[in-house]
């Protein structure tokens, strides 16, 4: 679990920008981040995998609250 205070989220009417510090494991680091999004009252859905610790969601709906989950994967797919 990373420090959530270091996650930057900026919401716009038609997008959400998320940035976070890159995860480390003390050896090689992590190579991929999976992004999941859940609208309140709905199931979480997989959005995408990214290689850098930044994501812009351009498919948001106005006046909808979302919860984002970021999963870091190392080279052996250990999250």
């Amino acid at each position: 679990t990373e420090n959530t205070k270091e996650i930057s989220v900026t919401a716009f009417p038609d997008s959400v920008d998320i940035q976070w510090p890159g995860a480390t494991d003390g050896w090689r680091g992590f190579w991929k981040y999976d992004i999941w999004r859940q609208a309140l009252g709905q199931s979480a859905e997989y959005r995408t995998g990214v290689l850098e610790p930044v994501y812009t969601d351009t498919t948001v709906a106005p006046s909808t609250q979302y919860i984002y989950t970021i999963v870091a994967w190392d080279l052996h797919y250990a999250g």
Side-chain angles (χ1 to χ4, degrees):
T1 302
E2 293 294 320
N3 184 347
T4 57
K5 291 180 182 179
E6 296 179 10
I7 296 174
S8 170
V9 179
T10 306
F12 300 98
D14 59 353
S15 66
V16 173
D17 290 340
I18 306 171
Q19 296 181 15
W20 60 95
T24 61
D25 64 358
W27 187 54
R28 290 187 153 193
F30 290 80
W31 75 277
K32 179 185 174 190
Y33 302 92
D34 282 344
I35 311 295
W36 293 77
R37 182 182 79 184
Q38 180 179 1
L40 295 180
Q42 297 183 8
S43 298
E45 59 181 19
Y46 177 77
R47 302 303 300 154
T48 190
V50 296
L51 301 179
E52 298 295 326
V54 60
Y55 172 67
T56 299
D57 187 351
T58 58
T59 64
V60 297
S63 302
T64 303
Q65 295 181 24
Y66 296 102
I67 298 169
Y68 290 89
T69 302
I70 303 165
V71 179
W73 295 100
D74 68 11
L75 295 173
H76 302 286
Y77 270 94

